[in-house]
Amino acid sequence: MKAAMKAKDTNRLNVIRGVLAEITNVSKTSTPFKTDIQLLSLLKKRATASKAAAQEFAMARRTDLKNKEEAQVAVLEEYASIVETVALDEVMQAITKVLEKMRTDGVAVNTGSVLKATIGVGGALDGKAVEKAEVARIVKEML
């Protein structure tokens, strides 16, 4: 934050202040952030909202506001890329193993059961830094 203030980078400063405000608000709830994945989810949610806002501004021919939102998206994506997650190959291998095991055991194979066996308690990716939405998307593709 200090570096952004010294550099007079208003886009970065606005993003940092907004994210800090959301983190502070969440920390006051019954379920505060405990992992980097939760923070990554927040960053991606804000980036998606900014992308949608930029599209709305483009449709309204407000290029100044569109450019501002796009700059914020770039900053959010930069911060999101810092968070380390499990590699895509490792996720796919874990899902493949779970699918093979379920099929050999004769268990009904559906999205919910595969997700539970993969990222649920005791699953192959339990406790690892992985986005649940990404795992769900991959499971749906593989079924």
Side-chain angles (χ1 to χ4, degrees):
M1 189 163 169
K2 271 185 163 183
M5 291 172 88
K6 287 180 182 178
K8 299 192 188 298
D9 188 351
T10 57
N11 286 325
R12 186 173 301 275
L13 193 57
N14 288 337
V15 168
I16 292 170
R17 284 181 177 152
V19 170
L20 285 176
E22 285 193 45
I23 291 171
T24 302
N25 289 339
V26 169
S27 70
K28 294 177 183 177
T29 65
S30 61
T31 55
F33 286 157
K34 294 180 182 174
T35 64
D36 288 344
I37 293 301
Q38 292 171 317
L39 179 61
L40 179 63
S41 174
L42 170 73
L43 292 172
K44 288 195 173 191
K45 184 173 83 172
R46 284 185 57 105
T48 303
S50 289
K51 285 177 185 176
Q55 287 178 345
E56 291 293 322
F57 291 139
M59 289 172 47
R61 293 192 174 105
R62 292 294 309 266
T63 57
D64 56 331
L65 296 174
K66 176 184 159 271
N67 292 339
K68 178 183 172 192
E69 290 295 328
E70 287 175 345
Q72 287 184 358
V73 168
V75 172
L76 286 165
E77 287 176 348
E78 177 187 336
Y79 285 132
S81 68
I82 294 172
V83 178
E84 291 184 21
T85 58
V86 176
L88 185 62
D89 293 341
E90 188 176 340
V91 172
M92 291 182 87
Q93 287 176 352
I95 293 170
T96 304
K97 287 179 185 176
V98 167
L99 282 171
E100 288 173 2
K101 185 176 185 301
M102 291 178 83
R103 288 180 178 142
T104 58
D105 291 347
V107 178
V109 178
N110 59 40
T111 305
S113 62
V114 174
L115 285 174
K116 189 173 182 180
T118 306
I119 58 178
V121 177
L125 299 175
D126 181 31
K128 294 186 179 179
V130 62
E131 281 189 88
K132 292 178 183 178
E134 186 69 18
V135 174
R137 183 188 62 78
I138 293 170
V139 166
K140 287 177 185 175
E141 286 177 2
M142 294 179 93
L143 291 179

